[in-house]
Amino acid sequence: MIDEDGKALGIMPLAEALALADGRDLDLVEVAAAANPPVCRLMDYGKYLYIQKKRAQESRKKAQEGKRRHAAVTLKDVKLGSLSGDHDVAFKVEHIRRFLEKGQRVRVSVFFRGRQITHPELGTQMLRRVAEKVQDIGTLESEPKLEGRYMSMLVTPR
């Protein structure tokens, strides 16, 4: 038996330990059930759970802060259709330029619907047009390649 300050109280019967806990307005918590005899501790169990929850919350917060520091290496994804019009492409190119100016890498993807997959050259042409429009602030890290119904390329800032 251990009291709330961490001092050993010695071995005592369960009824006596429960009476002691009740007298001090604390909980009797079994901390080492495998020990012989089992080890119990007097503590405010609600307060203990509260402190544990706060510690977990704090560690998650610190992990999130660490992720935010490395935000510059995020990968942004911009999707186009294989038959997207000129205005749609220009609109997406503006997004790509904004991401590249912030120092972020961008994956540009063209998706094919239905039978459009039989004309992958349309996707390649679309990606090449986009690459030409952002070549002043970005470099092509990977050439356009077909993966399932998507053709994608990776653009990194200069």
Side-chain angles (χ1 to χ4, degrees), residues 99-153:
F99 293 142
L100 291 172
E101 286 167 1
K102 288 181 184 175
Q104 297 170 325
R105 297 175 13 180
V106 182
R107 179 182 9 190
V108 185
S109 303
V110 174
F111 60 90
F112 298 96
R113 288 196 177 121
R115 294 184 183 167
Q116 292 174 352
I117 196 74
T118 59
H119 299 287
E121 66 278 359
L122 294 176
T124 306
Q125 290 170 0
M126 175 81 67
L127 291 174
R128 295 238 182 261
R129 272 194 326 195
V130 170
E132 286 173 19
K133 292 181 181 183
V134 296
Q135 69 182 356
D136 58 324
I137 60 169
T139 57
L140 203 63
E141 188 174 298
S142 67
E143 291 293 318
K145 62 182 174 198
L146 190 63
E147 299 166 352
R149 291 201 164 273
Y150 284 91
M151 180 175 283
S152 60
M153 69 178 182

